[in-house]
Amino acid sequence: MSRTSFDNQPPIIICRDVQKWYGNFHALRGVNMEVRKGEVVVIFGPSGSGKSTFIRTINRLEEHQGGQIIVDGIELTHDVRNIEAIRSETGMVFQQFNLFPHLTVMQNVTLAPLNVRKWEKEKAEQVALELLERVGIPEQADKFPGQLSGGQQQRVAIARALAMQPKIMLFDEPTSALDPEMIKEVLDVMIELAKSGMTMLVVTHEMGFARSVADTMYFFDEGQIVETGSPEDIYNNPQEDRTKLFLSQILQH
Amino acid sequence: MTTDTKVIAPPTERYTILGWLKRNLFGSIPDSILTIFAIWLTYAMLKPAFAWIFGEARWEVIPDNLKLFMVGRYPAEYLWRIWLVLYLLVALVGFVWGVWVKKKETTGYVLLGIPIFLALLPFSMQIRLQILLLDVIGYMLYMFGRGENPSYKRWAIIAMLAYFPIAIFIIHGFGETGIMAKVEPNLWGGLLLTILLALLGIIFSFPIGVALALGRQSKLPIVSWICIGSIELVRGVPLITILFMMDLMLPLFLPAEIRIESVIRALVGITFFSAAYMAENIRGGLQAIPNGQREAAHALGLSAFHTMAFIILPQALRAVIPILVSQFIGLLKDTTLVMILSLFDVLGIGKAVLGNPDYIGTTKEVYLFVAALFWVISYGMSYASQRLETALGVGER
């Protein structure tokens, strides 16, 4: 995907000097980022570097204590209406899937459209079926999450997030809890989504995925963005020593 | 290199009855000695018990006072209202059972067993026929509820919600005269009172318990303090103290012209007592739900209320069904304490019957009967909850 396709698009996420503490621990130390509509961003870095914390501040699962976050023109403040508005425009996929175990796959996917968007049941179910088709598991609609494999569960989670027709998708290490043979089926869905023009922020260590679909990569360490650039720049010509060290560690095998 | 993997059937062991006996009971000489000794011991202990139950015991005390045991001083001319409530209950239970549990075999045993059991009991023919009719109605509604109709579930829930107000209305009645004349709650007694107090205590304490559990976790300090305070206050006091308070203290705080029925006072005391325990049990369930569930719901844009109602509470309540049922069984037995409010529950009636000179020396019979009644109801609740758990798939998903 060429960068020009979104270069003249307006920024949909603006983060300025985002700060976050856990007790005395300074988790985010002034993060600045602009994401344009249709851009696919991959965030990587060592564990504890604040990359998950950062992505979770964008839909307010974590509260930022300094700086500014503006999503789709709405600033994140303590105002619950702003938070709910941003959350309904932003889909999120978790490392641990977090499907609702007491609801069927179909109920998982239609719950938010029915109750937040107030859609008719028929419309919600039709959209849900289309999405399950898109992630490749329409035949599992009436099963419960516990009856599915990890890869299938994560694909349901993606369908569930897409059912709200979000403008932005956040992925927090979506393949880290999966068995190796299931990683590909989830990445395939994400690649297809990226190619369809969805704005995506992905925290991942899947370097093959990053290389094939990322527009911009951010390397996080110690709560800061250390280096940013296109996948070619990052892989072939990293500037910072910390980036080089980290890449050498994860690309060794 | 090719390997040949054969699928082998698991090993099976088949015994004849004699083979089973030989292997398990008479496998060796010490085993045989132990088996024979155990058989002798069982016989030695059961023989006098059976001799008493089928020979010496004066069971006539039970059928003679059956009406007292069942409904206390409820007027005989309105007894048909109690039967009506019972018919409705059996129909409701049969229907709900058919809608949710569907399993046929055990239900069949229960339904066949009841008439045989009744034939052995020394009740009057009229009562036996009534109970047989109850059985038939329950079975018919059960078969009806088994029908695959998606709207049945909704009807079952509506019927359950509507049943209790209707039942209370029929039992209590209205107006001064006529077939539906009012029967003062102070006349309700026996098993009727026990079951009403327990069921209404459960029904009222459930929402209060949920509210207290949620309130305890509230971020608003005043709400959480009030909830913690009331839970700890009630939990720190024995039920009997609360009932005394309701009996002696409450009238002091209320204006003299307001006189609350003892039954209502007992019910309020039982409800608050049960709600405090329920709140803590439900809190346990709430804490067992992983934080990821809440995060996923928030990330979808669900409001705090929807998150609680659709995601957290259903899972939390499902997780604590066994604890709640235990608590309800405890509550059922605790209702015997209403004796101190001069109410005659089934145990109180038992004591009153023993005070009658005609029945001196029937202590064992009366208390055994009361104990059996409690056991049947408690086990019934326990069994129903196990079936309910299976139907809801607790622990499977």
Side-chain angles (χ1 to χ4, degrees), chain A residues 201-212:
Chain A
L201 268 75
V202 187
V203 173
T204 188
H205 290 147
E206 292 296 330
M207 287 302 151
F209 168 80
R211 203 188 288 259
S212 62

Side-chain angles (χ1 to χ4, degrees), chain A residues 94-97 150-151 154 172-180 182-183:
Chain A
F94 299 86
Q95 184 177 357
Q96 299 295 342
F97 328 137
Q154 193 61 299
D172 186 3
E173 306 209 28
T175 56
S176 303
L178 293 174
D179 290 338
M182 293 170 183
I183 291 176

Side-chain angles (χ1 to χ4, degrees), chain B residues 101-250:
Chain B
V101 182
K102 299 206 190 295
K103 198 177 165 189
K104 205 166 179 179
E105 307 87 59
T106 37
T107 320
Y109 292 137
V110 171
L111 289 162
L112 277 178
I114 286 174
I116 296 170
F117 177 66
L118 286 178
L120 296 172
L121 286 182
F123 294 149
S124 74
M125 189 49 84
Q126 188 216 352
I127 289 176
R128 285 198 232 178
L129 284 177
Q130 291 256 38
I131 296 178
L132 196 63
L133 189 58
L134 281 171
D135 192 40
V136 170
I137 287 182
Y139 190 68
M140 278 164 55
L141 264 292
Y142 165 74
M143 292 310 286
F144 178 68
R146 276 167 60 88
E148 294 294 334
N149 188 330
S151 67
Y152 282 178
K153 275 192 182 173
R154 196 175 339 135
W155 282 112
I157 290 170
I158 293 171
M160 281 194 278
L161 291 178
Y163 176 76
F164 290 100
I166 293 174
I168 300 289
F169 179 75
I170 296 175
I171 295 169
H172 188 269
F174 60 93
E176 297 304 315
T177 53
I179 55 164
M180 289 298 286
K182 201 165 144 190
V183 178
E184 291 297 336
N186 286 345
L187 296 176
W188 306 357
L191 193 61
L192 171 72
L193 182 67
T194 300
I195 289 181
L196 272 183
L197 284 175
L199 276 183
L200 291 178
I202 289 165
I203 291 167
F204 290 133
S205 65
F206 186 71
I208 299 175
V210 172
L212 283 175
L214 296 180
R216 184 169 186 154
Q217 297 191 322
S218 170
K219 283 179 189 143
L220 303 170
I222 295 183
V223 175
S224 79
W225 289 342
I226 291 175
C227 291
I228 293 175
S230 33
I231 291 171
E232 296 303 340
L233 182 71
V234 174
R235 282 207 311 165
V237 181
L239 176 58
I240 198 158
T241 320
I242 294 175
L243 291 177
F244 266 127
M245 288 282 287
M246 299 303 294
D247 195 30
L248 301 173
M249 306 292 281
L250 201 62

Side-chain angles (χ1 to χ4, degrees), chain A residues 122-133:
Chain A
E122 279 164 25
K123 182 187 175 190
E125 290 193 343
Q126 194 196 332
V127 170
L129 264 183
E130 284 164 15
L131 285 169
L132 290 175
E133 197 105 32

Side-chain angles (χ1 to χ4, degrees), chain B residues 271-293:
Chain B
T271 303
F272 277 110
F273 185 75
S274 173
Y277 280 88
M278 187 151 340
E280 287 300 279
N281 290 337
I282 291 173
R283 188 166 69 98
L286 290 173
Q287 285 173 344
I289 307 303
N291 207 26
Q293 293 289 306

